[in-house]
């Protein structure tokens, strides 16, 4: 890199002379480039560096690559590993038709644009041009993430469909099951074994569809593969029954489970990489009368954590939570069924209070997100490391804030309460239907009502509703009967535009894309504490909370409907008779 590029960076992005000289000195002493130094010190972003490259080399910079210019004609002759190693991808010009490569002697002519990430890849670029036999091409700079995404999409376009893979297996005389359990990029796996390709395809397609779970369900004469997207199960594939055992065995091998044991439930996990995404897959099997039933839970470890303002809290609710997390001690409980986003909410809370002067320790099962600067303990029943035992040890580690993944038994509940009473701020989850039910559940676990009223600060109940796709949602006239079904009135919806689901490729024609939380926050005021000391009946407690203007799940759902975020049907689906 020349000093003129450093000057461009200095002029455009306000790098001072001292930083420039330090970078030059670093290059002279330790090698590398000035750009690498600036990036490592977070003095510039990748986009800013690419802008400087664009000016210096007179090559355009595209932050986002146009997906409609992706071609699959080069995927048969260029290994995906080559493009990922050198971070480059060929594109077609939008204004011209690219000639398809039917054999290596054909040329694409001057219809190719090659996106690169660094100017130091010219040797690899020459190799790519020679492989594709280009007579001419143009270059653009783009971000590493955009290029990786384009590579993955291009190769995914030419991958066999699940139906074709099943057909290959039916035409094959034997099925080979792979035996490696290492973390590998599923898109790079070129194994010829149809069952391996089928499993890889199921996982990668489910991830592409933003699925949270994959279900493999056996029936008497068939079995189904389904995935859950935004809380709803959709059919993915219905292969022949004879493929069932091979498919399940392959998954159990990948998850390092005992493939010979089919009579007992088993749990396992595997790490896979899909493009630039690291996916943690939790595998659970149970025996049924027609074979093993398997559920794979997909957790994208590369996804960024949500912050408190992003999970769906209304301004008043956000203010309540921000006030609660500043408390020096006490317990904040988050309740809801499995898959309702409780852990995501707790991580958002921890992210909001995390600072170097606070000691935060968590005990979880499993650890779903890695948080820098926070000590996280994984429950391990095999060595008797339970929530209760781990929590006993945590309180001797001088914590300020403790996160208990779930209160499952009386011992854990008792230690959590004692921790709160001795100066710790404790966050945890319970499986109850609403916030008032958490009090009843704690009493059922053996916690005395006077301890509950002394230690619990608030109970937050939540559900997840699907968010209408912003690209295809359709305005609707408010239906008085539908509004009445969720407890809303026409007056509440007057002046607002209600929307319904549409259909587009971006949301896979479901009309919804993503989910958001609806919340019910019950803060234990002095009045509520006195009610709890007299009775732990959840209906009485809820009545007292409503008298103090608590916003219920249904009420919060109504606000999301009126704001055009979701639909009446979604609120009814997740709140039931609440």
């Amino acid at each position: 890199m020349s000093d003129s590029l450093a000057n461009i960076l200095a002029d455009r992005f306000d790098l001072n002379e001292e930083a420039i000289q330090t970078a030059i000195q670093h290059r002279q002493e330790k090698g590398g480039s000035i750009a690498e130094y600036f990036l490592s010190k977070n003095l510039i972003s990748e986009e800013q560096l690419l802008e400087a490259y664009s000016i210096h080399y007179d090559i355009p910079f595209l932050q986002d690559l146009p997906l409609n210019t992706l071609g699959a004609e080069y995927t048969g002759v260029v290994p995906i590993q080559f493009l990922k190693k050198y971070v480059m991808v060929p594109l077609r010009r939008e204004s011209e038709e690219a000639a398809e490569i039917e054999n290596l002697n054909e040329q694409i002519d001057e219809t190719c644009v090659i996106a690169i990430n660094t100017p130091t890849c010219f040797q690899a670029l020459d190799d790519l041009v020679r492989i594709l036999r280009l007579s001419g091409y143009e270059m653009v700079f783009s971000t590493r993430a955009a290029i990786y995404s384009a590579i993955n999409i291009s190769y995914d376009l030419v991958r066999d469909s699940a139906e074709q893979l099943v057909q290959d297996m039916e035409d094959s005389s034997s099925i080979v099951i792979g035996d490696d359990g290492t973390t590998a990029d599923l898109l790079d796996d070129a194994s010829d074994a149809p069952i391996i390709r089928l499993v890889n395809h199921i996982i990668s397609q489910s991830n592409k569809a933003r699925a949270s779970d994959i279900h493999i369900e056996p029936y008497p004469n068939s079995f189904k593969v389904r995935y859950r997207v935004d809380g709803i199960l959709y059919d993915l594939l219905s292969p022949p029954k004879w493929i069932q055992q091979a498919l399940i065995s392959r998954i159990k091998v990948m998850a390092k489970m005992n493939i010979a044991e089919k009579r007992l439930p088993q749990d396992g996990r595997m790490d896979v990489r899909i493009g630039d995404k690291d996916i943690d897959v939790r595998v659970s099997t149970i025996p049924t009368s027609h074979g093993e039933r398997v559920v794979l839970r997909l957790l994208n470890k590369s996804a960024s954590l949500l912050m408190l303002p992003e999970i769906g809290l209304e301004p008043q609710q956000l203010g309540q939570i921000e006030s609660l997390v500043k408390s020096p001690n006490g317990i904040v409980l988050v309740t809801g069924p499995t898959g309702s986003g409780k852990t995501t909410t707790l991580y958002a809370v921890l992210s909001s209070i995390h600072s170097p002067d606070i000691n935060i320790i968590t005990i979880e099962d499993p650890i779903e997100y890695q948080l820098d600067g926070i000590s996280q303990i994984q429950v391990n029943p095999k060595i008797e490391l339970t929530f209760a035992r781990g929590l006993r040890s945590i309180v001797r580690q001088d914590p300020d804030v403790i996160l208990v993944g779930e209160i499952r038994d009386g011992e854990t509940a008792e230690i959590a309460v004692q921790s709160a009473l001795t100066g710790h701020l404790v966050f945890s989850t319970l499986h109850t239907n609403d916030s008032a039910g958490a009090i009843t559940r704690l009493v059922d676990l053996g916690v005395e009502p006077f301890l509950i009223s002394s230690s619990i600060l608030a109970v937050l109940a939540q559900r997840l509703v699907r968010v209408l796709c912003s690209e295809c949602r359709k305005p609707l006239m408010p239906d008085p009967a539908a509004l009445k079904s969720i407890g809303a009135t026409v007056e509440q919806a007057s002046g607002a535009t209600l929307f319904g689901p549409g259909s587009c490729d971006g949301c896979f024609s479901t009309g919804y894309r993503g989910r958001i939380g609806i919340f019910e926050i019950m803060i234990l005021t002095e009045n509520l504490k006195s009610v709890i000391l007299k009775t732990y009946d959840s209906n009485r407690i809820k009545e007292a909370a409503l008298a103090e203007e608590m916003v219920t799940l249904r009420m919060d759902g109504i606000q999301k409907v009126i704001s055009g975020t979701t639909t009446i049907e979604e609120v009814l689906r997740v709140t039931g008779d609440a």
Side-chain angles (χ1 to χ4, degrees):
M1 180 190 296
S2 69
D3 290 344
S4 60
L5 180 54
N7 292 334
I8 293 171
L9 289 167
D11 293 340
R12 290 184 66 86
F13 307 116
D14 297 327
L15 292 177
N16 57 44
E17 184 62 29
E18 182 182 352
I20 299 289
Q21 292 305 318
T22 303
I24 293 173
Q25 184 179 352
H26 184 274
R27 179 186 63 182
Q28 292 170 346
E29 293 177 355
K30 300 185 178 180
S33 68
I34 294 177
E36 291 172 354
Y37 177 81
F38 286 149
L39 285 173
S40 68
K41 298 298 182 181
N42 292 321
L43 296 174
I44 59 171
S45 65
E46 182 188 17
E47 290 79 5
Q48 290 172 332
L49 176 61
L50 292 173
E51 280 185 43
Y53 280 157
S54 177
I55 296 169
H56 184 62
Y57 294 101
D58 195 25
I59 296 174
F61 165 51
L62 297 180
Q63 186 163 347
D64 298 308
L65 296 176
L67 298 183
N68 60 334
T69 64
L70 295 180
E73 57 272 0
Y74 62 82
T75 56
V77 291
V78 182
I80 188 174
Q81 296 91 337
F82 175 84
L83 297 179
K84 286 185 174 182
K85 179 179 179 180
Y86 296 106
V87 198
M88 59 177 66
V89 64
L91 308 170
R92 293 178 301 194
R93 285 184 184 164
E94 294 184 65
S95 57
E96 299 179 39
E97 289 290 332
E100 292 189 7
I101 300 180
E102 295 182 358
N103 57 63
L104 292 179
N105 294 321
E106 290 194 39
Q107 294 183 344
I108 301 183
D109 236 349
E110 296 186 10
T111 59
C112 195
V113 175
I114 300 178
I116 62 175
N117 183 251
T118 174
T120 61
C121 66
F122 287 121
Q123 181 61 53
L125 187 63
D126 290 341
D127 292 340
L128 179 63
V129 170
R130 187 170 62 255
I131 292 170
L132 294 179
R133 299 184 180 273
L134 301 177
S135 62
Y137 63 92
E138 295 177 4
M139 289 186 295
V140 296
F141 284 115
S142 190
T143 63
R144 181 177 292 265
I147 291 174
Y148 277 154
S149 178
I151 292 170
N152 290 337
I153 292 172
S154 296
Y155 281 80
D156 197 42
L157 288 172
V158 297
R159 286 192 162 266
D160 294 333
S161 67
E163 290 78 7
Q164 182 60 49
L165 290 169
V166 171
Q167 184 63 46
D168 290 346
M169 292 176 67
E170 291 180 342
D171 295 340
S172 175
S173 59
S174 64
I175 294 174
V176 181
I177 297 175
D179 58 1
D180 67 89
T182 58
T183 302
D185 192 333
L186 295 186
L187 297 176
D188 290 351
D189 193 340
S191 172
D192 289 331
I195 189 64
I196 295 177
R197 291 161 57 205
L198 178 60
V199 172
N200 291 354
H201 182 86
I202 289 171
I203 296 174
S204 63
Q205 288 299 106
S206 299
N207 177 72
K208 181 180 176 181
R210 300 174 289 104
S212 60
D213 302 88
I214 302 170
H215 291 233
I216 298 171
E217 305 169 354
Y219 299 104
N221 301 309
S222 64
F223 79 106
K224 278 186 178 181
V225 179
R226 302 199 291 170
Y227 54 34
R228 187 181 297 278
V229 181
D230 294 335
I232 305 296
L233 279 169
Y234 298 94
D235 287 345
L236 174 63
L237 187 63
S238 295
K241 180 72 173 177
W242 65 269
I243 294 177
Q244 174 181 315
Q245 190 51 53
L247 182 71
I248 292 173
S249 294
R250 169 59 185 166
I251 291 170
K252 290 171 74 173
V253 166
M254 292 175 71
K256 297 184 176 68
M257 299 162 74
N258 183 356
I259 63 171
E261 180 56 75
K262 303 173 187 177
R263 303 163 300 171
L264 295 172
Q266 292 189 65
D267 293 305
R269 63 179 297 275
M270 54 181 157
D271 291 314
V272 300
R273 188 176 300 116
I274 302 176
D276 56 344
K277 297 178 181 178
D278 289 317
I279 310 295
D280 184 16
V281 183
R282 305 281 171 158
V283 184
S284 171
T285 68
I286 58 170
T288 72
S289 57
H290 304 297
E292 289 179 285
R293 191 184 194 281
V294 183
V295 174
L296 293 80
R297 170 150 288 189
L298 309 182
L299 179 68
N300 185 358
K301 294 191 290 187
S302 306
S304 58
L305 283 173
L306 293 177
M307 298 294 103
L308 268 179
E310 301 172 328
I311 62 176
L313 292 164
E314 297 296 326
Q316 180 191 357
Q317 295 173 326
L318 183 59
Q320 290 175 318
I321 295 296
E322 289 175 342
S323 175
L324 287 168
V325 300
K326 293 177 182 176
S327 303
N329 53 65
I331 300 178
V332 176
L333 292 174
V334 181
T335 75
T338 302
S340 60
K342 300 186 296 295
T343 303
T344 300
T345 297
L346 287 176
Y347 276 116
V349 169
L350 290 187
S351 297
S352 71
I353 62 175
H354 178 38
S355 66
D357 58 338
I358 295 179
N359 181 19
I360 302 176
I361 305 180
T362 76
I363 179 163
E364 307 167 61
D365 184 25
I367 297 173
E368 296 189 14
Y369 299 96
Q370 299 291 337
L371 294 173
D372 290 337
I374 293 177
S375 302
Q376 297 173 270
I377 302 170
Q378 168 70 57
V379 167
N380 189 347
K382 292 180 181 177
I383 57 173
E384 297 183 1
L385 177 54
T386 60
F387 278 115
R389 188 170 180 179
L391 186 51
R392 274 188 205 280
S393 300
I394 286 174
V395 295
R396 293 194 289 269
Q397 291 282 317
D398 186 31
D400 298 296
V401 177
I402 301 171
L403 168 63
V404 184
E406 182 184 345
I407 294 178
R408 297 177 178 173
D409 52 54
E411 187 180 5
T412 307
E414 181 184 350
I415 302 169
V417 168
Q418 294 299 332
S419 301
L421 293 174
T422 53
H424 303 96
L425 182 59
V426 181
F427 297 98
S428 190
T429 68
L430 269 178
H431 284 98
T432 61
N433 290 328
D434 58 11
S435 54
I439 306 300
T440 308
R441 174 65 177 147
L442 287 174
V443 174
D444 184 50
L445 289 173
V447 182
E448 295 290 344
F450 73 90
L451 290 176
I452 294 174
S453 62
S454 302
S455 60
I456 304 294
L457 297 174
V459 183
L460 184 150
Q462 71 177 77
R463 299 289 190 277
L464 292 177
V465 294
R466 291 186 292 171
V467 175
L468 285 165
C469 176
S470 58
E471 300 297 323
C472 64
R473 65 177 187 172
K474 302 180 296 185
L476 296 176
M477 287 294 293
D479 180 3
L483 288 171
K484 185 178 179 181
S485 67
I486 61 168
T489 63
V490 176
E491 289 74 21
Q492 281 180 286
S494 62
T497 303
L498 271 60
F499 291 88
S503 178
C504 70
D505 293 338
C507 61
F508 299 98
S509 300
T510 62
Y512 299 92
R513 186 176 178 85
R515 289 187 290 177
I516 200 169
I518 59 173
F519 301 91
E520 172 181 295
I521 303 175
M522 184 180 75
I523 297 176
L524 266 67
T525 61
E526 292 302 320
N527 181 50
L528 268 179
K529 289 178 181 179
S530 64
V531 171
I532 291 168
L533 290 173
K534 296 173 185 175
T535 177
Y536 49 89
D537 180 271
S538 61
N539 292 324
R540 295 274 301 277
I541 295 170
K542 186 171 184 177
E543 287 176 8
L546 288 172
E548 298 195 359
E549 300 183 344
M550 178 184 75
V551 176
T552 65
L553 287 167
R554 181 67 65 80
M555 293 175 188
D556 193 32
I558 292 170
Q559 291 301 315
K560 299 289 194 299
V561 171
I562 292 173
S563 65
T565 303
T566 189
T567 60
I568 292 172
E569 292 76 15
E570 271 299 291
V571 175
L572 284 173
R573 180 178 69 84
V574 301
T575 60
D577 298 327

